[in-house]
Amino acid sequence: NESMFKSLKRHSWVLVLLGVSSMAGGVLPQGVHAQTSEDTPIAPDRRKPGGSRPGSDSIEAPMRRKPGGSRDLLSNNSCRFDPQELTALIPESLKGATTSASPTLFFSVPPISANTSLEFVLRDANDRLVYEKTVPGLGQAGILPMELPPNTLSPSQDYHWYLSVICNNRDRSYDLVVEGFVQRLALDLNQKQNLDLANQIKFYQTRNLWQDQLAFLAELKRDRPNDPEVTDLWKQTLKSVNLDESIATNPLLP
């Protein structure tokens, strides 16, 4: 069941994750290299939302991790922030693999007020609703984790998710929407149990386990929020997929 991912080929760019070499002392990896200038996409970054909510069956429509900025967001709605500050933390391919049946997805969010809702929706390859959750804004900028319930993902199945900020309850065309795909892979992670930090990161990268890599980094960030080495590791990871490195300094939200 690969038709959903194949349909993205005309819109997506190839994500190249290079190997990680360890820093002096063997504690943290050095550069996770960004794409070269000739690989830099000229199309808008689709990890941020456009001005309108896509239909549930619009798989061929442009999908984004960043906003298009075409709609006047300050006139008739409650989203009093720069839409460019909303970002899905995923590769430019919009695909993130995991070995978990209940992975956590991550988003960089602006200070969304408590009277503005965020809606998360997960659908399977046949566009059937799998999971839906609505949460209020937290009034604070940061990295928002969205954890799926236990046993949500089946192995080797493709899932399409949306995160919408509902800016106008009476007109959902004002929603800011980011979207992407996640797939659970049947891999054994016991091999990494005795690896040091540098090789654990490399383990995830060489297997393209983006969601697991980011969850591992989030655990480090929560345990060591003021550790500059952890912040630097976040910056390198974000840079490797052409995301804003400054996101790395934002706190993890509850």
Side-chain angles (χ1 to χ4, degrees):
N1 187 10
E2 298 179 351
S3 60
M4 181 176 294
F5 279 0
K6 288 180 178 178
S7 69
L8 282 173
K9 286 183 177 179
R10 75 183 68 175
H11 305 295
S12 60
W13 306 287
V14 177
L15 171 65
V16 180
L17 289 178
L18 302 180
V20 181
S21 59
S22 58
M23 295 177 66
V27 177
L28 288 173
Q30 290 187 0
V32 180
H33 300 294
Q35 293 177 319
T36 57
S37 58
E38 61 264 28
D39 294 328
T40 302
I42 58 173
D45 191 327
R46 296 165 297 139
R47 290 168 289 189
K48 288 193 176 184
S52 61
R53 178 184 178 84
S56 61
D57 59 350
S58 59
I59 192 65
E60 293 292 343
M63 288 165 287
R64 298 176 174 88
R65 63 179 186 174
K66 294 185 178 182
S70 59
R71 184 177 283 273
D72 180 5
L73 293 173
L74 294 181
S75 64
N76 301 314
N77 66 72
S78 62
C79 291
R80 306 290 173 172
F81 55 81
D82 182 354
Q84 292 286 328
E85 296 175 2
L86 176 67
T87 311
L89 302 186
I90 53 174
E92 291 168 306
S93 65
L94 305 183
K95 298 182 287 186
T98 179
T99 58
S100 173
S102 54
T104 300
L105 307 178
F106 296 90
F107 305 88
S108 177
V109 298
I112 301 171
S113 65
N115 63 353
T116 300
S117 297
L118 292 86
E119 177 188 71
F120 180 84
V121 174
L122 180 73
R123 294 182 176 274
D124 66 14
N126 296 313
D127 202 37
R128 292 186 295 252
L129 180 65
V130 175
Y131 177 65
E132 186 174 18
K133 181 179 182 179
T134 301
V135 298
L138 297 175
Q140 179 184 2
I143 298 172
L144 176 69
M146 186 65 68
E147 184 178 4
L148 301 184
N151 302 315
T152 299
L153 304 187
S154 298
S156 303
Q157 300 295 315
D158 303 334
Y159 296 86
H160 190 182
W161 54 259
Y162 306 85
L163 181 74
S164 305
V165 181
I166 304 174
C167 297
N168 187 324
N169 288 313
R170 295 185 299 273
D171 185 353
R172 294 294 300 271
S173 69
Y174 281 91
D175 282 15
L176 292 174
V177 185
V178 290
E179 59 186 306
F181 296 86
V182 62
Q183 183 184 74
R184 178 185 170 192
L185 304 181
L187 295 178
D188 180 12
L189 294 191
N190 290 330
Q191 307 170 50
K192 76 173 186 63
Q193 288 182 349
N194 297 319
L195 297 177
D196 60 21
L197 178 58
N199 284 311
Q200 285 193 48
I201 296 295
K202 185 176 181 179
F203 180 91
Y204 293 125
Q205 287 184 327
T206 56
R207 289 159 180 80
N208 292 325
L209 295 174
W210 172 262
Q211 298 301 159
D212 292 349
Q213 179 183 340
L214 215 60
F216 177 71
L217 291 173
E219 183 179 353
L220 284 177
K221 187 176 182 67
R222 202 174 291 283
D223 290 342
R224 297 151 58 179
N226 300 314
D227 189 331
E229 292 181 317
V230 173
T231 299
D232 186 60
L233 182 55
W234 266 87
K235 286 182 177 180
Q236 294 170 23
T237 300
L238 295 173
K239 183 178 179 181
S240 75
V241 293
N242 287 328
L243 285 172
D244 185 357
E245 295 177 50
S246 68
I247 294 172
T249 63
N250 292 342
L252 274 174
L253 299 177

